[in-house]
Amino acid sequence: MAEPVLLDDRPDERHVLRRAAPHLRPHRRALITAVAVGLADSAALVAVAPLVGRATDALKAGDRTGLLVAAGALVALAVVQLGLARSGELLLAKAGENVVRSLRERSVANLASAPLRFLESHRTGELLRRTTGEVAALAAFVRMHLRNLVSATATLVFTLCLLFVYSWQLALVQLVVFVPPALLAMRWFQRDASAAFGGKATAEATVAATFSETLTVREALQTAGGLPGWTRRFGRENAVAVTAARRAIRVENRIDLVSLIEGVALVALLLFGGWQASHGDITIGTVVTFVLASRNLFDSFSDLSQLVGHVQTARTGLARLLDLLAATERVKPKAPAAASPADLPARGELRCEGVEYGYQDGTRVLSDVSLAFPAGDRVGVVGETGSGKTTLSKLLCGLYAPDRGAVTFAGTDLRELSEAELRRRVVLVPQEVRMVTGSIARNLELVHSAPDRAAMERAVRELGLEDWLRDLGGLDAEVGVRGERLSAGERQIVGLLRAALADPAVLVLDEATADIDPVTAARLEHALDGMSEDRTLIVIAHRPATIARLPRVIRLEQGRVAGRMAHHS
């Protein structure tokens, strides 16, 4: 069998913008407009230096008219540049935020539709980090640094063009003294930046994943005395994260050398420019222009050098997010060829033919399983732990796709059904029902039919759960964080109510009555009896009382069907 697609801890960061292009394309008009305004803003800023140089020459020559014209132009330019700067900042921030929002929505949508096997192959904290932490870092970069990046780059390019127009000799001296050492410093930074920032992101994701798991198993850690050992593990991973962060800071500090190089370049400019001016090769205004323009040059380069760390962080985050999107696109179920709702009956036979499945190559969990569940069938599935019962339940519900064979509903392969149509036909109530913080009603809303309160109350009556709901406090009773105020059995009852509201043709219960008190188990079993008779009910269970209520039983042993029998009470 094929191994599940796994995320890359350190995805390739080369050509990351090219890979992001499909996600930028829907926003290209807004991005182009924002960048164009930003370029105009930078051009206005660069134009200040030659106007000051012209004013200097006019002052030296006693040209009052030329001085007034230059001063008026400077005032007008300042007003225009202020408006362009404000507009460019708002436009670029808006466009960038829209891109980030679309990436966030795409990643969440991809994860929501990703196969269960992909999700189970990754730690929750790692997926959480990529869909929240990396997106948040991108959003912060857009809000605080994207405009500066565009402005600094444009100002640098425009300033270089201006310098060569005024004096190519002086510009060449400036570049020879400043650019090679500055590029060497930047190259030194770039050499280790990818590994440093990538290692930092990976270490932080590991800490986030372990912390998330700590919250999940906190009760087990406390009752079993495993908290000290787990704390030591968390401490080791946290120490690795701190070390990675320190390495990233050391690498980022290398770009501070650029400030020293700037000072040397300015001294060279004044010496060579003064010598040329003394020989009449250039005017004093040209030297002034060069000094001011060089300040723009240095500031732009300094801004870029300061932004390099933020750019690298954003680049790493974007690469990790694109890796998530690419991986979830690869595992996304193909669009059904597919049976339309009109082709499928509301009720039908669920069948698996020659089904095989394994989690790793060479290890079969299920082998050559062929079963048929006619409409309205009520059957129990039993077997020892590890016999493949839970895996079978996920295959029957379409959460896993078989490696060989097929699972069909009314003759249609589950893989050919859209997610919405599949969930209208087959629903699984797992052993551990997931809850969200809020009321019973809010938790019952988590089905595709979006039931109103009348539908919820009707489902409670049909399953004979009025007393249970009244004792709990009604539909508005709070369940606590992730349902912690409810017992395991009560969470199972909520899961069963959700299934009743979804009204599937087939309902699969995976160990619904395991490890819950007898009173709640009896109530749950009674509720099962209240399910409509034309619904297929497949119950995976160990409790004899649960199995006794079902007319037939299928036994699994080591991933194979070991027997079928009619059960007699």
Side-chain angles (χ1 to χ4, degrees):
M1 58 155 288
E3 290 291 333
V5 174
L6 296 178
L7 297 175
D8 191 343
D9 284 340
R10 296 186 181 181
D12 188 1
E13 297 180 17
R14 294 173 298 177
H15 312 303
V16 68
L17 287 179
R18 184 186 302 171
R19 300 202 305 274
H23 305 286
L24 301 176
R25 196 168 293 122
H27 310 280
R28 59 182 179 275
R29 181 175 297 177
L31 288 170
I32 290 172
T33 302
V35 170
V37 173
L39 293 178
D41 171 36
S42 296
L45 178 64
V46 171
V48 170
L51 283 175
V52 173
R54 185 164 296 181
T56 301
D57 285 338
L59 182 63
K60 185 174 182 299
D63 182 1
R64 185 174 179 180
T65 302
L67 179 61
L68 291 175
V69 169
L74 279 171
V75 172
L77 191 63
V79 173
V80 170
Q81 198 263 332
L82 182 63
L84 289 172
R86 181 60 176 167
S87 300
E89 182 178 5
L90 292 175
L91 288 171
L92 197 57
K94 182 179 179 180
E97 289 286 0
N98 284 335
V99 172
V100 171
R101 185 187 67 181
S102 66
L103 286 172
R104 181 188 292 113
E105 292 173 349
R106 183 71 172 273
S107 63
V108 171
N110 278 17
L111 279 180
S113 61
L116 183 61
R117 189 169 184 179
F118 174 83
L119 301 178
E120 292 176 342
S121 300
H122 296 87
R123 300 174 76 183
T124 302
E126 170 66 13
L127 298 176
L128 186 66
R129 169 74 183 179
R130 296 209 186 198
T131 52
T132 57
E134 310 298 5
V135 174
L138 283 173
F141 177 79
V142 166
R143 283 193 296 269
M144 296 185 288
H145 307 300
L146 182 58
R147 178 190 176 274
N148 291 339
L149 177 63
V150 173
S151 176
T153 303
T155 301
L156 183 66
V157 172
F158 292 158
T159 300
L160 286 174
C161 294
L162 175 71
L163 294 180
F164 273 97
V165 167
Y166 264 71
S167 171
W168 67 266
Q169 299 97 332
L170 201 53
L172 198 60
V173 170
Q174 185 80 314
L175 292 182
V176 168
V177 175
F178 176 69
V179 173
L183 289 179
L184 285 175
M186 297 298 294
R187 182 62 182 266
W188 188 32
F189 169 84
Q190 288 285 357
R191 188 186 65 190
D192 299 320
S194 180
F197 287 93
K200 176 174 174 284
T202 299
E204 288 176 349
T206 300
V207 170
T210 300
F211 181 72
S212 177
E213 291 175 353
T214 303
L215 296 178
T216 303
V217 299
R218 64 191 185 282
E219 185 175 342
L221 290 172
Q222 291 173 346
T223 56
L227 193 57
W230 190 270
T231 302
R232 286 193 294 272
R233 171 187 168 180
F234 186 82
R236 289 193 299 270
E237 292 177 352
N238 198 33
V240 171
V242 171
T243 300
R246 287 175 176 170
R247 182 190 179 197
I249 292 172
R250 286 197 300 271
V251 171
E252 189 172 2
N253 285 341
R254 294 175 183 176
I255 57 181
D256 289 341
L257 288 173
V258 175
S259 298
L260 176 62
I261 299 168
E262 288 177 9
V264 174
L266 189 58
V267 170
L269 169 66
L270 291 173
L271 291 176
F272 188 71
W275 179 80
Q276 278 196 310
S278 66
H279 286 74
D281 296 330
I282 58 175
T283 66
I284 297 296
T286 299
V287 176
V288 171
T289 299
F290 259 80
V291 170
L292 293 177
S294 295
R295 189 69 264 163
N296 287 338
L297 182 71
F298 297 153
D299 286 345
S300 298
F301 201 93
S302 177
D303 288 343
L304 287 175
S305 65
Q306 295 298 322
L307 286 169
V308 165
H310 300 295
V311 170
Q312 183 60 49
T313 299
R315 182 184 179 190
T316 299
L318 181 58
R320 288 167 61 81
L321 185 59
L322 292 176
D323 180 50
L324 172 67
L325 293 175
T328 48
E329 286 290 342
R330 289 199 299 273
V331 300
K332 185 180 290 186
K334 293 181 180 179
S340 67
D343 298 328
L344 289 175
R347 301 288 189 257
E349 180 185 59
L350 184 68
R351 175 183 290 271
C352 54
E353 290 284 350
V355 165
E356 294 188 1
Y357 187 82
Y359 292 99
Q360 296 177 345
D361 284 329
T363 304
R364 289 286 170 201
V365 178
L366 293 175
S367 299
D368 194 26
V369 174
S370 296
L371 295 167
F373 306 95
D377 194 13
R378 305 229 158 182
V379 59
V381 179
V382 298
E384 298 295 328
T385 300
S387 61
K389 302 187 301 300
T390 294
T391 300
L392 176 63
S393 72
K394 293 178 179 178
L395 285 163
L396 292 175
C397 295
L399 294 174
Y400 291 165
D403 298 328
R404 288 195 180 91
V407 181
T408 62
F409 175 82
T412 300
D413 196 313
L414 298 189
R415 287 170 290 198
E416 296 180 4
L417 296 177
S418 67
E419 183 70 17
E421 286 304 313
L422 177 58
R423 293 299 148 240
R424 289 189 181 96
R425 299 313 192 278
V426 190
V427 167
L428 170 69
V429 179
Q431 182 174 352
E432 186 177 352
V433 174
R434 300 294 182 180
M435 309 282 286
V436 297
T437 303
S439 64
I440 294 288
R442 184 180 180 189
N443 278 275
L444 294 181
E445 290 171 353
L446 303 180
V447 293
H448 64 81
S449 58
D452 56 20
R453 291 182 72 90
M456 296 177 192
E457 292 167 353
R458 185 166 57 251
V460 170
R461 286 195 303 272
E462 289 174 354
L463 299 186
L465 295 170
E466 300 100 315
D467 293 343
W468 169 79
L469 185 62
R470 185 168 50 252
D471 293 343
L472 205 61
L475 289 173
D476 294 320
E478 292 292 321
V479 302
V481 178
R482 293 185 293 274
E484 64 181 9
R485 294 182 184 175
L486 303 184
S487 67
E490 289 171 330
R491 290 195 291 271
Q492 285 289 343
I493 291 175
V494 173
L496 190 61
L497 281 169
R498 283 179 188 161
L501 289 165
D503 191 28
V506 181
L507 177 60
V508 182
L509 289 93
D510 182 15
E511 301 284 10
T513 58
D515 302 324
I516 64 177
D517 63 274
V519 174
T520 306
R523 178 176 280 147
L524 187 61
E525 290 159 357
H526 178 71
L528 287 175
D529 292 338
M531 303 292 280
S532 58
E533 294 182 358
D534 63 341
R535 179 180 290 116
T536 301
L537 188 62
I538 304 170
V539 181
I540 296 171
H542 281 113
R543 273 176 59 89
T546 304
I547 296 299
R549 291 174 175 268
L550 302 166
R552 72 185 184 100
V553 176
I554 295 169
R555 177 173 293 279
L556 291 182
E557 288 183 6
Q558 296 181 349
R560 296 179 180 272
V561 178
R564 300 173 175 85
M565 61 188 130
H567 189 278
H568 301 286
S569 309

